[in-house]
Structures are given as C-alpha cells and as structure tokens.
Amino acid sequence: MIINTIKHLSVVLKVRLNELEYICNDSNIGKFYDEFATDKKTNGVVKLDKNNQPVKRVINPSKNTLKRIQKNIHSIILQDIELPDYCYGATKNKDNVKNAKRHQGKKYKFLTDMRNFFPLITNKMVFEMFRRNGFSPIVAKTLTRLTTYKGHLPQGAPTSSSIANLVFVKTGDKLMKFAEEHNITMTTFIDDLTLSSSKCFKDIVPHVIDIIKEDGFTINHKKTFYKTNQPIVTGVISAQNGIKVPSEITKKLAQTEGKTQAQIDGLKRYVHKVEFMNKNSIKKR
C-alpha cells in the first residue's frame, strides 16, 4: 500500500487528521502509554542481579486512541508487508512449533537470543524500516512516532512484535545469505535465532555473532548454545528423527494441582499440536 501524505494515512488508519497530529505531539504522546515493571524470568525462574535483586523488564502498553490506531497500523499496514521465509515469530500461519520443525534432522544447532531486543530497536531504525518499505519521509516519520516511545520500540504495544520482525530483516538477510553460502538452515522467532546443519559449523559461529553486533544488536550469552544432543528450539525439542515436547511440559500436565481447567486444556492442546505435527512429518518421509 502506497501512502505518501499524512492526510491519506489518517484515512487509512480511520482517525481524524487533527487527532493524529495531537497524538504525535511530543507533549501528548506520554498520555497514551502506561508503564509498569515485571520480573525477568529464565525458564520460569526470576533473574537476579549482582545484588540479588530481581531484574526488571519495563512494559509500556499503549492505551485509548493510540492503541486503536496501532491495531489498525498492524492489521492494515504491517500485515501487508511481506516477511522473509525465515521469519516465524508473530507471523501469520507460523509458530514456535513450525520453527522447531524446520531444524529437525539437523545434527548441529546454534541457538541464541538477542538481549534487550525491543529497547535496542531505536526510532531511527524503525524510521529507516518504513522508508525501505516505500513510505514517504513524512509518513515514515509519523508511523515511527505512532509506534515508538521514549526513543525505542515499547514492549506491550500491538505493533511492536511485527515492527521488530521488519526492522531485523536488514540483519536477517545478511545472516541468511551467510547461512546459504554454508548450507545452513536459519530461522528467527522474534528475538530468537536458530541455525542448523548436517555438518559441524562451530568455527564460523563467531562470524554469525559479528553480523548481529554490526547492526547494533547484542546476544544473551546465557542463552547462547551450540548443541548436537536434542536441543530445545523455541520451546520444542528438535531432534534427528522428530520433534517432541520438553519434559517440563509433560510434568506440568501430570501435576494439575493448582491449575485451572483452561490451563490444563491449553497444555493438552499444545502437546497434541506437537505430536500431530511430528506424526505428519514422519509420514511425509
């Protein structure tokens, strides 16, 4: 969709022009966000800092008119921008299970996630992403204003995951080119990156990390692994001969005390989904 003027943008987003201008004003934008902090967790365990205090993650969910506008930006504009095949997170008809399945049968796997992914995506990076996708400078600037907060991508906004995907395409394409040159399979799932191959590629992993760092991202070293023995890829064990749910999921399902029926049903559906996809992949061989 080609949008070159703010007036056209206001029509597309179903919002009055003066209302759009009001929200984009520096002195008003803060009225349309909440802010709270949650404890960062790793595998369900609260992460502690050097002073043994919980590490906090700042959440800035949008509200009122801005939230409605962001939902329209997501459904009308962002969903219309095609993402690369390697992108599996916050992407239509893809999910974490399909992401893990993509790496099934590959013995060697490199897994990492990018630390502070959303906060590291700046308004400049978002603006450049909109410009790369054909929006005029003024429209790209307005869309950036409507989807960033305090200079970066806010966690909790309806547009943030899709924008994160689109911003990372610049880096992802470099990684994909490098992966293809070495016969490596690569996928992304928001801030998770997985590479796999039938042949060992440990010696070129540092170059992968360099590509990520060159564009301003950082990796979480505590969540960075090079494995050969049934690693967990985006919450699913991706093995040589299939995919399966991790033991922690089956344990949760076996210990139902304190869980609501909705939580139990959700776990059952997840297990069934993984098992169903695993059976289908075996049949296709």
Side-chain angles (χ1 to χ4, degrees), residues 211-223:
I211 293 173
I212 294 170
K213 291 181 176 180
E214 281 171 6
D215 287 339
F217 297 103
T218 59
I219 66 167
N220 187 335
H221 291 281
K222 292 183 179 179
K223 296 182 180 180

Side-chain angles (χ1 to χ4, degrees), residues 38-56:
T38 60
D39 293 339
K40 281 190 176 183
K41 295 182 179 180
T42 301
N43 297 324
V45 179
V46 175
K47 185 177 180 181
L48 302 177
D49 61 20
K50 60 183 180 181
N51 297 315
N52 211 35
Q53 295 299 311
V55 177
K56 299 293 182 179

Side-chain angles (χ1 to χ4, degrees), residues 2-268:
I2 304 299
I3 304 173
N4 290 319
T5 67
I6 301 303
K7 185 176 181 181
H8 185 197
L9 179 64
S10 68
V11 172
V12 169
L13 296 180
K14 304 172 185 178
V15 59
R16 294 191 304 272
L17 182 59
N18 63 340
E19 194 171 18
L20 199 63
E21 292 171 341
Y22 176 83
I23 294 172
C24 288
N25 189 289
D26 287 341
S27 60
N28 297 326
I29 192 70
K31 300 174 184 177
F32 296 92
Y33 284 98
D34 282 327
E35 182 167 311
F36 60 90
T38 60
D39 293 339
K40 281 190 176 183
K41 295 182 179 180
T42 301
N43 297 324
V45 179
V46 175
K47 185 177 180 181
L48 302 177
D49 61 20
K50 60 183 180 181
N51 297 315
N52 211 35
Q53 295 299 311
V55 177
K56 299 293 182 179
R57 185 193 310 275
V58 178
I59 308 297
N60 290 117
S62 54
K63 58 183 180 180
N64 304 329
T65 307
L66 179 58
K67 186 174 183 178
R68 175 173 60 82
I69 291 173
Q70 287 178 343
K71 286 182 177 180
N72 286 339
I73 291 173
H74 179 265
S75 62
I76 300 171
I77 295 176
L78 298 178
Q79 292 293 297
D80 196 45
I81 302 175
E82 187 175 355
L83 282 164
D85 182 58
Y86 59 73
C87 185
Y88 278 77
T91 306
K92 191 175 181 181
N93 298 323
K94 292 185 177 181
D95 56 28
N96 67 304
V97 180
K98 290 181 179 179
N99 180 68
K101 184 177 179 296
R102 184 80 178 267
H103 299 277
Q104 174 187 322
K106 307 291 177 62
K107 181 178 180 180
Y108 302 93
K109 297 182 177 72
F110 171 71
L111 307 97
T112 189
D113 84 355
M114 281 153 281
R115 187 164 54 88
N116 296 324
F117 189 50
F118 283 21
L120 282 176
I121 296 178
T122 64
N123 48 11
K124 180 183 177 183
M125 295 163 76
V126 174
F127 174 80
E128 290 173 347
M129 178 276 292
F130 281 121
R131 289 290 290 132
R132 286 196 303 272
N133 284 283
F135 293 92
S136 68
I138 186 62
V139 171
K141 181 180 179 180
T142 303
L143 286 171
T144 299
R145 196 75 188 93
L146 291 167
T147 56
T148 59
Y149 183 53
K150 294 183 177 179
H152 61 81
L153 207 58
Q155 297 193 64
T159 46
S160 290
S161 292
S162 293
I163 287 177
N165 277 340
L166 290 164
V167 167
F168 194 71
V169 165
K170 178 183 176 184
T171 307
D173 285 352
K174 296 177 188 176
L175 289 167
M176 190 69 222
K177 181 180 178 182
F178 181 76
E180 288 176 341
E181 289 172 353
H182 293 84
N183 197 28
I184 295 170
T185 298
M186 186 201 90
T187 62
T188 62
F189 194 86
I190 310 295
D191 57 352
D192 286 302
L193 174 70
T194 305
L195 290 92
S196 64
S197 177
S198 299
K199 296 181 180 180
C200 180
F201 61 98
K202 191 173 184 179
D203 58 330
I204 61 174
V205 165
H207 188 70
V208 172
I209 295 172
D210 286 342
I211 293 173
I212 294 170
K213 291 181 176 180
E214 281 171 6
D215 287 339
F217 297 103
T218 59
I219 66 167
N220 187 335
H221 291 281
K222 292 183 179 179
K223 296 182 180 180
T224 299
F225 308 98
Y226 185 84
K227 290 188 173 182
T228 58
N229 185 25
Q230 299 191 9
I232 296 177
V233 178
T234 53
V236 180
I237 294 175
S238 179
Q240 283 286 92
N241 59 352
I243 58 173
K244 58 185 178 181
V245 294
S247 58
E248 61 185 62
I249 299 295
T250 53
K251 286 178 182 178
K252 285 182 180 179
L253 194 53
Q255 300 170 354
T256 58
E257 186 177 351
K259 294 183 178 67
T260 65
Q261 189 59 48
Q263 290 173 323
I264 295 170
D265 291 343
L267 287 169
K268 287 181 178 179

